[in-house]
Amino acid sequence: NAGVMQNPRHLVRRRGQEARLRCSPMKGHSHVYWYRQLPEEGLKFMVYLQKENIIDESGMPKERFSAEFPKEGPSILRIQQVVRGDSAAYFCASSLYRGEMNTEAFFGQGTRLTVV
Amino acid sequence: AQSVTQLDSQVPVFEEAPVELRCNYSSSVSVYLFWYVQYPNQGLQLLLKYLSGSTLVKSINGFEAEFNKSQTSFHLRKPSVHISDTAEYFCAVSERGGGNKLTFGTGTQLKVEL
């Protein structure tokens, strides 16, 4: 059973370009979370998605950032018109969710975005 | 809303010495507590978690953490560290019933030296 797969592992974009980060959750997981880790900082929650639904996007910047998790295929985090401040490691996590009882979130290895 | 404080950004320690990494949290609701470990250029791996029951939880590689509700703490300890324990350690909380949305501390870099 493959873990959470993120690609690409490293992504370099020039200012103003678009960045697309992909996340394939673990088999059977229908909940996906995106986090951003800036240099020397902890991970910050960005967005929580189920299949075809955004559950919580309270951590997403209001502009240029969007996320989706379609019925088929990976979850995509899209950053339009990237700026240097978007340079960070972006981590995806997936989990099962069974109501009140929390379950473990499994993390991917991250995509390291560098904006030049 | 929750917040997590890890006061120590770096902890150097000699091999076979004991170590404690401190974590305090703040929340207006009941939470679950986690410690994650991150090796260089890797993703996060769950080290241990407290959901309910016994306040002392242990990992398979000798780490343990104790939930202290009155002090709102979840400190991580190991009686004897190994070189391979060198990594960044993150404490995190999630709201009970709130899915797996995690709030992380800023991390503690544990450096084990010979």
Side-chain angles (χ1 to χ4, degrees):
Chain A
N1 185 12
V4 178
M5 303 300 292
Q6 289 189 250
N7 67 81
R9 291 290 308 278
H10 300 275
L11 181 61
V12 178
R13 283 287 177 266
R14 294 186 183 279
R15 281 177 294 170
Q17 290 185 319
E18 179 181 286
R20 281 184 177 239
L21 288 62
R22 295 174 182 77
C23 170
S24 296
M26 286 183 69
K27 187 176 181 181
H29 287 189
S30 58
H31 297 253
V32 165
Y33 305 78
W34 285 94
Y35 294 83
R36 177 166 64 175
Q37 184 179 30
L38 294 169
E40 309 300 324
E41 294 188 17
L43 280 75
K44 302 285 190 199
F45 168 78
M46 298 181 76
V47 62
Y48 165 26
L49 310 107
Q50 289 182 20
K51 290 277 188 180
E52 300 183 282
N53 283 306
I54 296 175
I55 306 302
D56 182 342
E57 56 181 347
S58 57
M60 286 280 269
K62 294 286 187 284
E63 296 177 348
R64 302 188 296 108
F65 284 72
S66 62
E68 63 176 7
F69 188 16
K71 187 176 180 181
E72 301 290 338
S75 175
I76 305 287
L77 179 67
R78 183 182 176 204
I79 312 172
Q80 294 178 292
Q81 299 176 315
V82 296
V83 301
R84 287 228 171 102
D86 297 332
S87 295
Y90 292 83
F91 289 95
C92 169
S94 74
S95 73
L96 299 169
Y97 178 58
R98 301 192 188 102
E100 173 68 18
M101 177 55 71
N102 206 336
T103 60
E104 180 178 347
F106 292 84
F107 281 80
Q109 292 191 306
T111 293
R112 280 156 182 83
L113 172 65
T114 302
V115 179
V116 296
Chain B
Q2 300 88 40
S3 66
V4 177
T5 302
Q6 293 181 251
L7 287 173
D8 305 307
S9 60
Q10 292 187 359
V11 173
V13 63
F14 288 109
E15 195 174 33
E16 298 184 4
V19 71
E20 178 180 84
L21 307 184
R22 295 180 293 169
C23 172
N24 289 88
Y25 70 93
S26 173
S27 178
S28 57
V29 299
S30 294
V31 295
Y32 299 121
L33 296 146
F34 306 84
W35 275 99
Y36 282 85
V37 58
Q38 184 181 31
Y39 298 100
N41 297 315
Q42 299 291 317
L44 276 73
Q45 299 172 31
L46 180 66
L47 190 58
L48 44 75
K49 61 186 177 185
Y50 171 76
L51 303 182
S52 64
S54 173
T55 57
L56 182 65
V57 290
K58 299 184 180 185
S59 72
I60 57 173
N61 57 353
F63 282 95
E64 63 180 36
E66 185 157 22
F67 169 52
N68 187 318
K69 188 175 182 179
S70 63
Q71 297 186 4
T72 60
S73 68
F74 191 54
H75 301 330
L76 181 69
R77 301 184 184 94
K78 188 170 185 180
S80 177
V81 295
H82 188 268
I83 285 284
S84 60
D85 293 324
T86 295
E88 185 116 29
Y89 292 79
F90 292 96
C91 182
V93 302
S94 68
E95 182 179 321
R96 285 178 181 259
N100 280 293
K101 176 183 174 182
L102 294 161
T103 299
F104 285 88
T106 50
T108 298
Q109 178 66 45
L110 175 64
K111 185 174 182 182
V112 181
E113 302 167 350
L114 292 170

XYZ file of all heavy atoms in Angstrom, chain A residues 9-10 33 35 37 40-45 48 56 58 91 95-97 99-110 112, chain B residues 32 34 36 38-46 49 51-52 88 90 94-107:
515
model
N 8.666 16.557 -6.469
C 9.333 16.760 -5.177
C 9.943 18.158 -5.101
O 9.981 18.770 -4.041
C 10.420 15.714 -4.973
C 9.923 14.303 -4.752
C 9.242 14.145 -3.390
N 10.055 14.612 -2.284
C 11.019 13.918 -1.698
N 11.326 12.707 -2.131
N 11.700 14.422 -0.675
N 10.443 18.607 -6.233
C 11.038 19.941 -6.312
C 10.455 20.650 -7.533
O 10.294 20.037 -8.594
C 12.561 19.867 -6.436
C 13.216 19.179 -5.277
N 13.548 19.828 -4.114
C 13.580 17.880 -5.100
C 14.096 18.965 -3.264
N 14.133 17.788 -3.842
N -5.430 17.057 3.312
C -5.076 18.316 3.965
C -3.792 18.844 3.318
O -2.873 18.077 3.047
C -4.800 18.091 5.471
C -5.919 17.415 6.201
C -6.113 16.043 6.109
C -6.796 18.145 7.003
C -7.147 15.414 6.780
C -7.836 17.524 7.678
C -8.002 16.157 7.557
O -9.037 15.542 8.223
N -0.639 21.622 3.853
C 0.069 22.466 4.811
C 1.247 23.136 4.103
O 1.813 22.587 3.157
C 0.627 21.633 5.979
C -0.423 21.018 6.862
C -1.030 19.818 6.518
C -0.811 21.641 8.042
C -2.000 19.250 7.340
C -1.772 21.079 8.873
C -2.359 19.888 8.507
O -3.315 19.328 9.313
N 5.060 24.903 4.848
C 6.140 25.078 5.807
C 7.125 26.093 5.254
O 7.858 25.821 4.310
C 6.849 23.747 6.088
C 7.919 23.843 7.161
C 8.592 22.508 7.439
O 8.708 21.659 6.551
N 9.040 22.303 8.670
N 12.374 27.739 8.536
C 12.523 27.964 9.979
C 11.188 28.069 10.711
O 11.132 28.580 11.825
C 13.355 29.233 10.257
C 14.682 29.292 9.511
C 15.606 28.142 9.858
O 15.618 27.718 11.027
O 16.316 27.650 8.954
N 10.123 27.605 10.101
C 8.821 27.657 10.773
C 8.170 26.291 10.786
O 8.586 25.370 10.085
C 7.899 28.647 10.063
C 8.349 30.088 10.154
C 7.296 31.032 9.595
O 6.134 30.617 9.445
O 7.648 32.185 9.312
N 7.136 26.159 11.591
C 6.355 24.925 11.598
C 5.384 24.909 10.442
O 5.316 25.832 9.636
N 4.642 23.831 10.356
C 3.655 23.701 9.287
C 2.411 24.498 9.631
O 1.933 24.482 10.766
C 3.279 22.237 9.093
C 4.229 21.382 8.282
C 5.463 21.039 9.086
C 3.541 20.110 7.800
N 1.876 25.158 8.612
C 0.642 25.923 8.778
C -0.439 25.296 7.906
O -0.239 25.070 6.710
C 0.838 27.386 8.344
C 1.939 28.100 9.088
C 1.536 28.467 10.482
C 2.590 29.384 11.095
N 2.492 29.418 12.558
N -1.580 25.064 8.512
C -2.717 24.502 7.788
C -3.172 25.452 6.691
O -3.244 26.675 6.889
C -3.859 24.246 8.769
C -5.174 23.937 8.120
C -5.429 22.667 7.605
C -6.157 24.907 7.998
C -6.639 22.385 7.002
C -7.365 24.639 7.403
C -7.611 23.371 6.902
N -8.550 21.879 3.815
C -9.003 20.511 4.082
C -10.078 20.191 3.051
O -11.056 20.916 2.922
C -9.518 20.440 5.517
C -10.345 19.238 5.920
C -10.228 17.997 5.290
C -11.249 19.342 6.978
C -10.991 16.918 5.699
C -12.013 18.268 7.388
C -11.890 17.052 6.751
O -12.654 15.988 7.156
N -12.728 23.040 4.668
C -12.192 24.150 5.480
C -11.034 24.768 4.719
O -10.045 24.092 4.470
C -11.732 23.602 6.848
C -11.214 24.678 7.789
O -10.883 25.789 7.326
O -11.107 24.400 9.002
N -9.766 27.848 5.689
C -9.469 29.011 6.518
C -8.000 29.420 6.487
O -7.665 30.550 6.824
C -9.895 28.742 7.975
O -9.247 27.588 8.476
N 3.188 20.425 2.049
C 2.947 19.038 2.434
C 1.464 18.708 2.317
O 0.594 19.511 2.660
C 3.414 18.772 3.862
C 4.902 18.766 4.021
C 5.571 19.909 4.421
C 5.628 17.614 3.758
C 6.958 19.910 4.563
C 7.009 17.607 3.899
C 7.674 18.754 4.298
N -6.153 11.083 5.343
C -6.630 10.293 6.472
C -7.999 9.713 6.166
O -8.699 10.138 5.254
C -6.732 11.153 7.734
O -7.829 12.038 7.651
N -8.348 8.717 6.976
C -9.727 8.305 7.114
C -10.335 9.236 8.146
O -9.615 9.929 8.863
C -9.798 6.863 7.623
C -9.150 5.792 6.737
C -9.063 4.479 7.506
C -9.957 5.619 5.482
N -11.610 9.248 8.250
C -12.227 10.040 9.305
C -13.493 9.331 9.716
O -14.351 9.068 8.892
C -12.549 11.444 8.827
C -13.235 12.295 9.881
C -12.634 12.522 11.115
C -14.484 12.850 9.645
C -13.263 13.295 12.084
C -15.107 13.628 10.603
C -14.493 13.840 11.816
O -15.125 14.612 12.772
N -16.000 10.180 12.235
C -16.768 10.924 13.215
C -15.913 11.445 14.349
O -14.886 12.053 14.137
N -16.306 11.172 15.562
C -15.660 11.747 16.729
C -14.221 11.266 16.892
O -13.329 12.021 17.233
C -16.465 11.376 17.991
C -15.810 11.785 19.293
C -15.752 13.287 19.496
O -16.515 13.998 18.815
O -14.959 13.751 20.316
N -14.005 9.983 16.611
C -12.663 9.457 16.855
C -11.720 9.898 15.747
O -11.966 9.643 14.579
C -12.718 7.934 16.920
C -11.356 7.278 17.094
S -10.446 7.878 18.540
C -11.395 7.152 19.874
N -10.681 10.567 16.146
C -9.684 11.007 15.177
C -8.851 9.824 14.702
O -8.713 8.841 15.397
C -8.772 12.025 15.849
C -8.152 12.965 14.851
O -8.026 12.634 13.684
N -7.765 14.132 15.304
N -8.328 9.908 13.547
C -7.442 8.864 13.041
C -6.164 9.524 12.543
O -6.104 10.729 12.355
C -8.089 8.078 11.889
O -8.396 8.987 10.832
C -9.356 7.391 12.352
N -5.170 8.737 12.317
C -3.865 9.269 11.983
C -3.861 9.905 10.609
O -4.443 9.381 9.659
C -2.834 8.157 12.024
C -1.421 8.613 11.690
C -0.428 7.488 11.781
O -0.778 6.431 12.329
O 0.703 7.677 11.314
N -3.196 11.040 10.492
C -2.967 11.684 9.208
C -1.592 11.269 8.725
O -0.609 11.380 9.448
C -3.053 13.198 9.342
N -1.514 10.772 7.516
C -0.255 10.340 6.922
C 0.229 11.423 5.964
O -0.525 11.887 5.112
C -0.450 9.019 6.173
C -0.744 7.858 7.076
C -2.041 7.617 7.516
C 0.271 7.014 7.495
C -2.323 6.549 8.355
C -0.006 5.937 8.331
C -1.303 5.707 8.758
N 1.490 11.773 6.099
C 2.046 12.866 5.308
C 2.853 12.356 4.124
O 3.534 11.325 4.210
C 2.942 13.746 6.183
C 2.181 14.704 7.051
C 1.608 14.275 8.237
C 2.034 16.028 6.676
C 0.887 15.159 9.037
C 1.325 16.918 7.477
C 0.754 16.481 8.650
N 2.786 13.119 3.051
C 3.676 12.904 1.931
C 5.034 13.526 2.199
O 5.250 14.157 3.240
N 5.946 13.364 1.259
C 7.307 13.871 1.434
C 7.434 15.342 1.060
O 8.480 15.934 1.250
C 8.291 13.031 0.635
C 8.430 11.617 1.197
C 9.579 10.860 0.593
O 9.676 10.737 -0.626
N 10.471 10.349 1.424
N 6.385 15.904 0.540
C 6.383 17.339 0.300
C 6.854 17.729 -1.093
O 7.545 16.981 -1.779
N 8.891 20.946 -2.675
C 9.642 22.150 -2.332
C 9.614 23.104 -3.514
O 10.208 22.831 -4.543
C 11.061 21.774 -1.913
C 11.069 21.283 -0.479
C 12.216 20.373 -0.122
N 12.095 19.939 1.271
C 11.346 18.926 1.688
N 10.642 18.226 0.816
N 11.280 18.594 2.969
N -6.834 16.522 20.735
C -5.929 15.393 20.638
C -4.523 15.974 20.486
O -4.349 17.059 19.943
C -6.263 14.527 19.427
C -7.648 13.924 19.434
C -8.547 14.194 18.401
C -8.056 13.062 20.448
C -9.813 13.638 18.380
C -9.320 12.498 20.433
C -10.200 12.783 19.410
O -11.448 12.233 19.390
N -0.274 15.294 19.471
C 0.600 14.491 18.622
C 2.043 15.002 18.709
O 2.289 16.184 18.920
C 0.167 14.593 17.146
C -1.271 14.249 16.900
C -2.269 15.200 17.078
C -1.633 12.982 16.478
C -3.611 14.890 16.853
C -2.961 12.667 16.242
C -3.948 13.614 16.425
N 5.224 14.658 15.950
C 5.702 14.204 14.652
C 7.212 14.429 14.584
O 7.745 15.370 15.174
C 5.045 14.995 13.516
C 3.640 14.562 13.190
C 2.553 15.072 13.896
C 3.393 13.648 12.171
C 1.258 14.674 13.596
C 2.104 13.246 11.854
C 1.046 13.764 12.572
O -0.233 13.367 12.269
N 10.476 14.838 11.782
C 10.817 15.124 10.378
C 12.321 15.004 10.200
O 13.085 15.789 10.775
C 10.346 16.527 9.985
C 10.575 16.859 8.526
C 10.110 18.267 8.164
O 10.150 19.171 8.986
N 9.665 18.439 6.932
N 12.739 14.051 9.378
C 14.141 13.917 9.029
C 14.429 14.832 7.834
O 13.507 15.189 7.092
C 14.476 12.466 8.735
C 14.268 11.572 9.938
C 13.110 10.792 10.058
C 15.186 11.534 10.975
C 12.888 10.011 11.169
C 14.973 10.743 12.099
C 13.816 9.995 12.187
O 13.603 9.222 13.305
N 15.680 15.222 7.618
C 15.995 16.180 6.553
C 15.388 15.800 5.211
O 15.497 14.651 4.776
C 17.528 16.150 6.517
C 17.918 15.776 7.917
C 16.862 14.815 8.384
N 14.740 16.769 4.594
C 14.140 16.609 3.267
C 13.113 15.478 3.190
O 12.913 14.878 2.132
C 15.224 16.386 2.210
C 16.135 17.594 2.100
O 15.667 18.727 2.074
N 17.431 17.356 2.081
N 12.502 15.189 4.304
C 11.462 14.166 4.351
C 10.144 14.765 4.821
O 10.106 15.904 5.297
C 11.869 13.033 5.306
C 13.141 12.307 4.908
C 12.960 11.485 3.657
O 11.943 10.799 3.481
N 13.937 11.537 2.769
N 9.099 13.979 4.692
C 7.813 14.388 5.248
C 7.763 14.094 6.731
O 8.742 13.649 7.331
N 6.627 14.347 7.327
C 6.466 14.108 8.761
C 5.998 12.693 9.017
O 5.163 12.155 8.288
C 5.431 15.080 9.338
C 5.952 16.452 9.711
C 6.239 17.272 8.472
C 4.965 17.182 10.602
N 6.543 12.129 10.073
C 6.117 10.799 10.501
C 5.549 10.917 11.906
O 6.138 11.566 12.770
C 7.305 9.839 10.519
C 7.977 9.644 9.174
C 9.253 8.840 9.307
O 9.374 7.984 10.172
N 10.216 9.106 8.448
N 4.420 10.265 12.132
C 3.827 10.295 13.467
C 4.696 9.498 14.431
O 5.031 8.342 14.170
C 2.418 9.705 13.420
C 1.678 9.684 14.750
C 1.401 11.109 15.216
C 0.372 8.915 14.626
N 0.838 9.642 19.834
C -0.365 10.458 19.925
C -1.104 10.154 21.217
O -1.031 9.042 21.747
C -1.282 10.202 18.733
C -1.756 8.759 18.619
C -2.552 8.534 17.335
C -2.950 7.060 17.194
N -3.632 6.791 15.901
N -4.986 10.327 22.436
C -6.389 10.523 22.071
C -7.267 10.486 23.315
O -8.157 11.328 23.500
C -6.832 9.461 21.066
C -6.022 9.378 19.756
C -6.606 8.299 18.837
C -5.996 10.728 19.043
N -7.051 9.482 24.142
C -7.824 9.334 25.372
C -7.157 8.255 26.207
O -6.180 7.642 25.790
C -9.276 8.958 25.068
O -9.327 7.690 24.443
N 14.024 16.963 13.380
C 13.161 18.032 13.876
C 11.893 17.387 14.416
O 11.316 16.494 13.791
C 12.804 19.004 12.762
C 11.996 20.207 13.223
C 12.758 21.515 13.041
O 13.587 21.575 12.117
O 12.513 22.467 13.805
N 8.037 17.995 15.931
C 6.922 18.929 15.958
C 5.815 18.398 16.863
O 5.382 17.255 16.723
C 6.347 19.145 14.560
C 7.251 19.874 13.619
C 8.057 19.183 12.740
C 7.294 21.257 13.627
C 8.899 19.850 11.868
C 8.135 21.937 12.753
C 8.941 21.238 11.874
N -5.081 18.726 17.511
C -6.262 18.845 16.662
C -7.484 18.840 17.556
O -7.475 18.239 18.635
C -6.346 17.724 15.632
O -6.596 16.480 16.260
N -8.502 19.506 17.101
C -9.719 19.623 17.886
C -10.487 18.310 17.835
O -10.630 17.710 16.769
C -10.569 20.755 17.306
C -11.850 21.051 18.032
C -12.597 22.203 17.380
O -11.956 23.178 16.942
O -13.832 22.116 17.292
N -10.959 17.862 18.970
C -11.778 16.649 18.992
C -13.007 16.852 18.106
O -13.717 17.850 18.229
C -12.221 16.326 20.419
C -11.126 15.747 21.265
C -11.585 15.489 22.691
N -10.498 14.960 23.487
C -10.354 13.670 23.793
N -11.244 12.796 23.374
N -9.338 13.254 24.515
N -13.206 15.904 17.224
C -14.340 16.005 16.318
C -14.106 16.940 15.155
O -15.009 17.191 14.352
N -12.883 17.454 15.044
C -12.590 18.415 13.986
C -11.784 17.832 12.854
O -11.107 18.563 12.129
N -11.840 16.509 12.714
C -11.050 15.896 11.663
C -9.581 15.935 11.998
O -9.190 16.024 13.167
N -8.743 15.876 10.995
C -7.309 15.847 11.213
C -6.643 17.173 10.905
O -5.474 17.223 10.550
C -6.681 14.738 10.373
C -6.843 13.385 11.034
O -6.259 13.137 12.076
N -7.658 12.541 10.452
N -7.361 18.261 11.051
C -6.762 19.572 10.884
C -5.844 19.820 12.070
O -6.293 19.890 13.211
C -7.854 20.636 10.835
C -7.347 22.061 10.748
C -8.512 23.028 10.786
C -8.036 24.466 10.837
N -9.179 25.405 10.913
N -4.552 19.903 11.801
C -3.552 19.993 12.848
C -3.006 21.416 12.981
O -2.779 22.098 11.983
C -2.385 19.054 12.540
C -2.720 17.547 12.558
C -1.670 16.757 11.800
C -2.818 17.056 13.988
N -2.795 21.808 14.229
C -2.078 23.052 14.521
C -0.719 22.660 15.086
O -0.653 21.940 16.095
C -2.848 23.906 15.538
O -4.125 24.247 14.989
C -2.084 25.181 15.860
N 0.338 23.123 14.430
C 1.689 22.714 14.779
C 2.418 23.785 15.583
O 2.178 24.988 15.412
C 2.512 22.442 13.511
C 2.185 21.156 12.825
C 1.186 21.102 11.874
C 2.886 19.992 13.121
C 0.887 19.915 11.226
C 2.596 18.804 12.475
C 1.592 18.761 11.528
N 3.356 23.321 16.415
C 4.329 24.219 16.989
C 5.417 24.505 15.967
O 5.409 23.969 14.860
N 6.352 25.347 16.338
C 7.391 25.764 15.400
C 8.532 24.768 15.297
O 9.439 24.953 14.492
C 7.969 27.125 15.795
O 8.327 27.083 17.177
C 6.945 28.230 15.567
N 8.482 23.712 16.106
C 9.471 22.649 15.972
C 10.672 22.810 16.886
O 11.039 23.916 17.272
